Every structure is written in structure tokens, then in C-alpha cells.
């Protein structure tokens, strides 16, 4: 089992698909990584040699921000917005949609379960 950036990537999947299990790496970035180190994206992870896995690990650590560092950076950006008191920060603080979606109806995922208001009927 190959361990890259603190994540055990699945051994029976193709390299390009397995790399997407790492937070911060999607399909296009995984393809670029395969091209950079000279590995065929359709090869299986268990077919890779230790040298290729090491080369992949070094490439990711040098060129990309992934996993814990990326999560920490994202959280710090959100905290900065909240501390500034800007509109996006206020929306984060109130746990409402940040990107301009409507909230009169919908937005249940972000707002949570609907709460009934007593005395509304009449």
C-alpha cells in the first residue's frame, strides 16, 4: 500500500484515480503529476516501483499544498474573513450560503432542518 502525503492510496486502482483520494488533488492535477514524473496514468498503483512512488511523493511535497496544510490554509482564510467583518465573513459566521444563493426557500443543507414557528397558522 502506497502512502503519499499521509494518505493510504488504494493499490488496485489506476494511478490517476488513486491520487484523487488526497485532499487537494483532482483529476487534472493527478494527470499533470503523472506526466511530470513519467508514469502512465492508466497503470495500477500496485504495479509502481518504490522509486516511482518516492518520486511522486517528492513531487507532491515540493509543488503542491495538500491535506493538512491546505485545510489549515482554507480555515485561516475563512477566519480572516470573519474577523474582518466583511459580507462573506458575516455569512460564514451566521452559517448561511456565502456565494449569493437564495435563502427564502432552499438552502436547507447550509441552514439545517426547518424549525416550525408557533402561532403562525390562522
Amino acid at each position: 500500500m502506497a502512502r503519499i502525503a499521509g494518505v493510504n492510496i488504494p493499490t488496485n486502482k489506476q494511478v490517476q484515480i488513486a491520487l484523487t483520494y488526497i485532499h487537494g488533488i483532482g483529476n487534472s492535477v493527478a494527470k499533470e503529476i503523472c506526466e511530470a514524473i513519467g508514469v502512465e496514468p492508466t497503470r495500477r498503483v500496485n504495479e509502481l516501483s518504490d522509486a516511482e512512488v518516492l518520486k511522486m511523493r517528492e513531487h507532491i511535497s515540493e509543488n503542491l499544498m495538500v491535506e493538512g496544510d491546505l485545510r489549515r490554509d482554507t480555515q485561516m482564510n475563512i477566519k480572516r474573513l470573519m474577523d474582518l467583518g466583511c459580507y462573506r465573513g458575516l455569512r460564514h459566521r451566521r452559517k448561511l450560503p456565502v456565494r449569493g444563493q437564495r435563502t427564502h426557500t432552499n438552502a436547507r443543507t447550509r441552514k439545517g432542518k426547518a424549525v416550525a414557528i408557533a402561532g403562525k397558522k390562522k
Side-chain angles (χ1 to χ4, degrees):
M1 183 173 280
R3 188 168 176 85
I4 298 174
V7 176
N8 293 331
I9 59 174
T11 54
N12 57 343
K13 293 192 181 286
Q14 294 179 359
V15 175
Q16 184 176 347
I17 305 301
L19 283 174
T20 61
Y21 279 66
I22 301 170
H23 180 76
I25 296 180
N27 280 323
S28 58
V29 175
K31 196 172 188 178
E32 289 172 10
I33 291 169
C34 292
E35 289 173 4
I37 63 168
V39 172
E40 190 67 32
T42 55
R43 281 177 60 191
R44 303 281 172 174
V45 174
N46 55 7
E47 296 171 0
L48 294 176
S49 67
D50 290 337
E52 290 171 327
V53 173
L54 183 65
K55 200 184 294 186
M56 193 178 299
R57 191 179 296 133
E58 288 173 353
H59 179 80
I60 290 171
S61 65
E62 289 171 6
N63 301 317
L64 299 171
M65 185 186 293
V66 292
E67 281 301 321
D69 294 335
L70 181 61
R71 291 178 207 268
R72 191 177 314 105
D73 192 51
T74 306
Q75 286 300 316
M76 289 304 294
N77 287 337
I78 292 171
K79 187 176 183 318
R80 179 181 53 81
L81 290 172
M82 288 166 62
D83 291 343
L84 281 173
C86 65
Y87 182 77
R88 281 174 55 204
L90 294 176
R91 301 299 283 182
H92 274 292
R93 199 179 300 161
R94 294 179 187 159
K95 294 186 170 66
L96 290 170
V98 177
R99 296 186 179 182
Q101 299 92 331
R102 67 179 284 129
T103 56
H104 180 70
T105 59
N106 301 335
R108 279 290 133 215
T109 304
R110 185 80 175 152
K111 289 169 78 172
K113 192 165 171 59
V115 179
I117 300 169
K120 179 91 176 190
K121 222 177 190 181
K122 225 176 190 183

